[in-house]
Amino acid sequence: MMKFYLYILLLLAVQLGNAQQTPAPIQKEIFTIVGATAHIGNGNLLQNSAIVIENGKIKAIGKRTEVSPEGTTIDASGKHIYPGFIATNTTLGLIEIDAVRATDDEKEIGTFNPHIRSLIAYNAESKIVESMRPNGVLIAQVAPRGGSISGRSSVVQLDAWNWEDAVISKDDGVHMNWPSPYKQGRWWLGEDPDIKPDEDYQKNVDKLLNYVQQAKVGQNYKGDSTVSNLEFQAMQGVFNSTKRLYIHADAKKAIIDIVRFISDQKIKHPVLVGASEAYKAISELKKINLPVLLERTHSLPTYDDDDYDQPYKQAKTLSDAGILVGLQNSGDMERANTRNLPFQAGTVVAHGMDKEKALSLITLNSAKILGIDHRLGSLEKGKDATLFISKGDALDMRTNQIEKAFINGRDLSLESHQTKLWKRYSKKYEQQGQ
């Protein structure tokens, strides 16, 4: 029996050793950050700024000569302040190790799952989640995957005890995967590996539209009140405009059909996700002011005849056309690569976009698309004090060196498994150089 108890204690010790750092305590004392260049997030820049933070909110912001410091003063002269970066359409906290099934909660069995909630599967103690903060990614929209309708996403902050503490916007929208009008041959079955039109495309679309229509009718059913359909109830927010509908698609034909679907169904808060061919359907997008969470910037062109730099310049192309654009990072190794979100915006800058406008792609624009811009996305009076101080340009991996980060005024730990290894091996090479 004694061996058994020792074994349990050993397991607990290992788990505590591997756990994430303790979340920062709530802000109790007022403080002021002075002297930094403030990147507001709305396209504007404020030199030699002063930001007063009280009770987790920005109490005042302006030029240092115009704002009286209160409480403790943090001197950030020569440095930069940014609003916390927002990672949209992520699976952060839903998978820890791909090869371990017990840690994989990104999707459920079935085709139509609007009632599935990603929030309750979110692991706030994920080692991957804590590695976001040292690059300034402080907010994430955690979204499910799979099926024709994957489920509902939620927006969380990335320093929490559990999902209840983490949540910012609960069940903000439903995620729909629009059928692709193309298919690629399965070479391993002897099929031609080229991309060709899918003959079943319209049939797949009709199946999806039929489900949507059933859900729309079902939510208004006035019959037996003891009978409930969880799937149809979960879709209700899409129809009554309280939830967003995130529609994932890439091809121009699919985007045109989606625009028609949105108009026919009178969807009030639609969002297009992915949209690698959005630049081919700009006029259609503008007809209904459809916002876009664009494909990962660090991608290869989709087709052989695409411009080699198409993924890099598309955000500017759409933004210049008046379309509200945010960046997202879905794709291979997306959870670990989410920490590179600021550098994706930096790549957009390298291909012609104004730096402050590119910053908006991962701050205020994303906040607007998610419906949280009243709280987050920019450095403005009354908004959450979710921000960070960087030694240099946070969109450049060479100068993104974050000294302090705050979520609701809480002073965060910037330690992670990676930073600990970096410090450890830095000492190794220092010793070898002696």
Side-chain angles (χ1 to χ4, degrees), residues 111-114 146-151 174-180 200-216 231-232 235 239 245-249 254 257-258 261-262 265:
T111 303
F112 300 105
N113 294 312
S148 293
I149 298 182
S150 305
V174 174
H175 288 253
M176 172 187 290
N177 297 302
W178 195 268
S180 174
D200 293 328
Y201 170 68
Q202 193 56 53
K203 183 173 69 175
N204 295 333
V205 170
D206 290 341
K207 184 178 179 180
L208 178 59
L209 297 183
N210 183 57
Y211 179 86
V212 171
Q213 194 59 38
Q214 288 184 46
K216 195 171 187 178
E231 294 180 20
F232 293 169
M235 289 290 292
F239 304 125
L245 180 62
Y246 298 93
I247 309 175
H248 299 241
D257 289 343
I258 287 169
F261 159 74
I262 291 169
Q265 297 297 327

Side-chain angles (χ1 to χ4, degrees), residues 93-325:
L94 298 184
I95 299 180
E96 196 67 10
I97 304 173
D98 289 277
V100 180
R101 181 66 184 88
T103 71
D104 186 341
D105 280 323
E106 74 170 351
K107 61 184 177 182
E108 292 292 338
I109 297 172
T111 303
F112 300 105
N113 294 312
H115 57 301
I116 297 301
R117 306 174 66 211
S118 62
L119 179 61
I120 60 174
Y122 173 70
N123 176 20
E125 291 195 342
S126 167
K127 278 183 173 288
I128 300 175
V129 167
E130 72 177 14
S131 71
M132 300 298 115
R133 300 194 297 260
N135 276 8
V137 180
L138 306 182
I139 306 296
Q141 180 199 36
V142 181
R145 299 284 188 260
S148 293
I149 298 182
S150 305
R152 289 175 285 174
S153 59
S154 291
V155 182
V156 299
Q157 51 89 359
L158 302 184
D159 182 64
W161 291 98
N162 48 47
W163 66 262
E164 291 97 333
D165 294 334
V167 66
I168 292 173
S169 179
K170 185 183 298 183
D171 301 327
D172 70 295
V174 174
H175 288 253
M176 172 187 290
N177 297 302
W178 195 268
S180 174
Y182 306 107
K183 65 178 180 180
Q184 187 166 15
R186 298 166 293 182
W187 59 267
W188 60 92
L189 294 179
E191 297 175 355
D192 184 346
D194 290 341
I195 298 175
K196 298 179 179 179
D198 187 350
E199 296 176 355
D200 293 328
Y201 170 68
Q202 193 56 53
K203 183 173 69 175
N204 295 333
V205 170
D206 290 341
K207 184 178 179 180
L208 178 59
L209 297 183
N210 183 57
Y211 179 86
V212 171
Q213 194 59 38
Q214 288 184 46
K216 195 171 187 178
V217 173
Q219 61 140 353
N220 294 321
Y221 178 64
K222 303 298 183 182
D224 187 351
S225 61
T226 63
V227 178
S228 61
N229 185 309
L230 295 179
E231 294 180 20
F232 293 169
Q233 287 180 359
M235 289 290 292
Q236 184 175 350
V238 172
F239 304 125
N240 66 20
S241 305
T242 60
K243 305 294 182 184
R244 281 159 170 73
L245 180 62
Y246 298 93
I247 309 175
H248 299 241
D250 287 310
K252 176 184 177 181
K253 177 174 175 51
I255 293 171
I256 292 173
D257 289 343
I258 287 169
V259 170
R260 186 182 303 114
F261 159 74
I262 291 169
S263 298
D264 291 345
Q265 297 297 327
K266 296 180 172 56
I267 306 297
K268 297 297 184 184
H269 297 298
V271 179
L272 182 62
V273 183
S276 61
E277 289 194 351
Y279 69 98
K280 297 180 180 179
I282 288 177
S283 60
E284 285 80 6
L285 295 174
K286 291 189 68 176
K287 285 179 183 177
I288 60 171
N289 294 319
L290 181 59
V292 177
L293 290 175
L294 203 55
E295 66 168 341
R296 180 187 293 179
T297 303
H298 296 165
S299 299
L300 293 173
T302 305
Y303 301 108
D304 291 343
D305 58 350
D306 283 345
D307 291 347
Y308 76 93
D309 58 352
Q310 187 56 52
Y312 311 146
K313 66 183 182 181
Q314 183 167 203
K316 182 179 187 301
T317 300
L318 298 181
S319 295
D320 288 349
I323 296 170
L324 181 62
V325 179

